[in-house]
Amino acid sequence: MGIHASRSRQPGSDHHDVLYVSAAGRSITAASVPGHALLLKNHAIVLKDFQGFPSDAITFEAWLSTSDFCHAGTIVSYALDSQSSNPEQRSADFNHFAIFDPHRTIACHAFTYFTMWPDPDSVSCYPKYGTKPAANLLERDGAWHHLAVTWTAAHTGTTKIYKDGLLMAEVKTGATEPLQSGGALMLGGDQDCYGSCTDSFQAFNGLMDEVRIWNVERSQKEIINNMRLVDGIAGQLGLVAYWKFDDPNMAEDLTGAHMWTAIDSSGNGHHLPLVTPPQQAPATINQGGRSYQTGKLNYHNNYALNEEIGGMPETDFTVEMWVRTPEYSATAEGVQRSELLSYATHTVGDSSGGSHYGGVTDHAFVDDAILIEKYYVVDMMLGQGYTPLSTISVSVNANPRVNEGQLNHWMNFDVDWKDNKWHHVAVTWSRDTGKTEVFFDGIFHVPTWRTSEGHWQSKAAKDGGVDPHMAPQTLRLGNGSLVLGQN
């Protein structure tokens, strides 16, 4: 889903999903004009089947603003619909072109990995930039900066990165194969499959504006002379796509169609769909010789959100759901994750530390007050301790980044869930004892991995599993933010 926002935030202004505050422009522009920008908050914008994508050379330009220190962030990615059975080739196809990390920016074409140290086979992108890529490209202080990246197949795949018109990095990447048309363009996220399979840790969180794609290598002079202009761009040679994100200005009211689509100002028709909520549809669930007719939500690079939900359980809870997730792929890399349900709020305590956390305050924000997710772990990652191949993971009243790790409460339950069929998942938790149970298709499973109050255990289910208790006597608020389909 995508959101339009003002180009600059005014002190004291209220934050909503869509901001329509007339902006004074960006701090380093020569001439300011009111307008809007694209606000990205752990989601991405996708345009599939991009015909006419640049081939032998590309220039990507955008104005960026971020204050996010939690994610490296992918500014843009372009993936091919790979059908290769070779996992390294599939990964290179999905990384057909990407610009990664606004702080230490790199631009990559057809590399298997962004980073790998050491890299004797030259399959990763970061080492091409040496030990110090374009350091401190964005200071993450919320200020606007202009980013321009050029790549050309000529001159050993030369890539150049500019900040505010200044050349910050120039490398010969060795990537000289032409870019291919018909792929999926994504703003704000990395694609581990065609048009989807995003990783929230690689999401760009911030503002993006004046995005331009050219099929030529723009010179530094051209970049400097045009980066502050909003008019007179469309007729210039080599412009493939241009999104101003000022479409709300064209809407008669705040519910107009221009609110949900960013028009391509190049005239080439590459309009961006900004809002793609989960789609409701009828569903038939067949299990155990019985058939159930019900409704479902279809997720594809989106989620369902209630930012101000009330009445959530403060103590004991049971969560039930029917779920169907993608089938396990032996050719995919790393962890294949499906986020099912996430509830974020605050714990309730006396802020004195009490007897739970060794003197550390027991009142804190818990982004994983209730978190239920499912993931596969590829064979190469199995190792230390016991790590099941397919897992239902549960967190309760947890935030591993606060209170010296004392609020890190989560368990893994080994389940045989590798298909893409419907399955019933039920999770229960008791506040008094902290006992946590998972039922998969009605069958009880013991936990096989546990972390609670800074201590972890792992033991296979056949050996009895681990202690099923976590976060006893903790209390959370009943109002917070609930998300289905994302963490």
Side-chain angles (χ1 to χ4, degrees), residues 465-484:
V466 298
D467 180 0
H469 301 85
M470 65 176 169
Q473 299 298 311
T474 58
L475 189 67
R476 68 192 156 271
L477 294 175
N479 57 288
S481 176
L482 176 68
V483 181
L484 302 181

Side-chain angles (χ1 to χ4, degrees), residues 138-155:
L138 295 187
E139 296 297 340
R140 295 178 288 190
D141 58 1
W144 282 100
H145 292 282
H146 184 267
L147 169 69
V149 173
T150 69
W151 168 87
T152 175
H155 311 301

Side-chain angles (χ1 to χ4, degrees), residues 92-406:
D93 290 342
F94 299 146
N95 292 330
H96 196 57
F97 185 79
I99 302 174
F100 181 67
D101 193 348
H103 185 56
R104 300 171 65 243
T105 302
I106 58 173
C108 310
H109 168 33
F111 283 95
T112 305
Y113 306 100
F114 283 144
T115 180
M116 175 182 285
W117 300 93
D119 184 18
D121 298 325
S122 296
V123 295
S124 65
C125 183
Y126 253 123
K128 298 296 181 181
Y129 291 79
T131 57
K132 294 183 178 180
N136 302 322
L137 186 67
L138 295 187
E139 296 297 340
R140 295 178 288 190
D141 58 1
W144 282 100
H145 292 282
H146 184 267
L147 169 69
V149 173
T150 69
W151 168 87
T152 175
H155 311 301
T156 322
T158 297
T159 300
K160 299 177 182 179
I161 300 175
Y162 301 87
K163 170 191 174 182
D164 298 332
L166 301 178
L167 181 63
M168 303 295 291
E170 179 177 352
V171 297
K172 296 183 183 298
T173 64
T176 59
E177 292 295 321
L179 295 165
Q180 298 181 35
S181 189
L185 180 81
M186 179 178 288
L187 299 180
D190 173 48
Q191 303 173 67
D192 289 331
C193 63
Y194 176 74
S196 189
C197 303
T198 57
D199 184 343
S200 60
F201 293 103
Q202 294 181 337
F204 174 79
N205 288 266
L207 291 163
M208 188 178 299
D209 202 6
E210 294 292 318
V211 175
R212 304 166 186 172
I213 297 176
W214 309 78
N215 62 13
V216 294
E217 180 189 8
R218 300 274 281 181
S219 68
Q220 184 176 23
K221 181 179 179 180
E222 289 173 319
I223 292 169
I224 292 174
N225 287 346
N226 290 274
M227 68 183 191
R228 297 176 174 86
L229 300 180
V230 295
D231 297 318
I233 303 298
Q236 296 189 28
L237 179 66
L239 185 63
V240 173
Y242 178 20
W243 300 289
K244 297 182 178 182
F245 301 114
D246 286 335
D247 309 283
N249 292 343
M250 298 184 290
E252 294 182 359
D253 54 51
L254 299 187
T255 62
H258 292 298
M259 293 293 298
W260 318 121
T261 302
I263 301 301
D264 175 15
S265 296
S266 74
N268 293 321
H270 300 301
H271 308 311
L272 278 177
L274 298 182
V275 178
T276 53
Q279 300 297 308
Q280 289 182 284
T284 301
I285 299 174
N286 297 305
Q287 191 179 75
R290 301 182 64 181
S291 180
Y292 308 90
Q293 302 296 322
T294 183
K296 66 178 179 180
L297 281 179
N298 285 329
Y299 295 91
H300 186 80
N301 187 40
N302 49 31
Y303 52 86
L305 168 68
N306 187 334
E307 289 184 296
E308 299 178 351
I309 194 170
M312 289 290 288
E314 299 179 4
T315 57
D316 303 354
F317 69 77
T318 297
V319 175
E320 296 183 79
M321 66 187 81
W322 283 93
V323 183
R324 187 174 67 184
T325 60
E327 186 174 4
Y328 171 72
S329 171
T331 62
E333 298 177 23
V335 177
Q336 302 167 55
R337 191 182 304 272
S338 296
E339 308 290 355
L340 306 182
L341 180 146
S342 174
Y343 174 60
T345 185
H346 285 78
T347 56
V348 179
D350 57 14
S351 299
S352 66
S355 60
H356 294 299
Y357 307 121
V360 181
T361 178
D362 55 355
H363 182 85
F365 171 69
V366 280
D367 53 350
D368 298 337
I370 303 175
L371 174 64
I372 304 172
E373 54 187 352
K374 173 260 183 118
Y375 54 81
Y376 304 121
V377 181
V378 298
D379 293 339
M380 69 178 183
M381 296 184 68
L382 301 177
Q384 181 180 8
Y386 173 75
T387 305
L389 180 63
S390 55
T391 287
I392 294 175
S393 182
V394 178
S395 300
V396 177
N397 296 345
N399 186 338
R401 294 169 295 279
V402 300
N403 291 21
E404 299 179 0
Q406 296 299 308

Side-chain angles (χ1 to χ4, degrees), residues 432-464:
D432 287 343
T433 63
K435 187 173 183 179
T436 308
E437 296 180 320
V438 163
F439 299 85
F440 182 66
D441 290 333
I443 300 174
F444 170 74
H445 288 258
V446 298
T448 54
W449 189 293
R450 171 185 180 269
T451 295
S452 189
E453 298 187 17
H455 304 285
W456 70 271
Q457 301 172 288
S458 65
K459 185 185 292 186
K462 63 183 178 60
D463 298 323

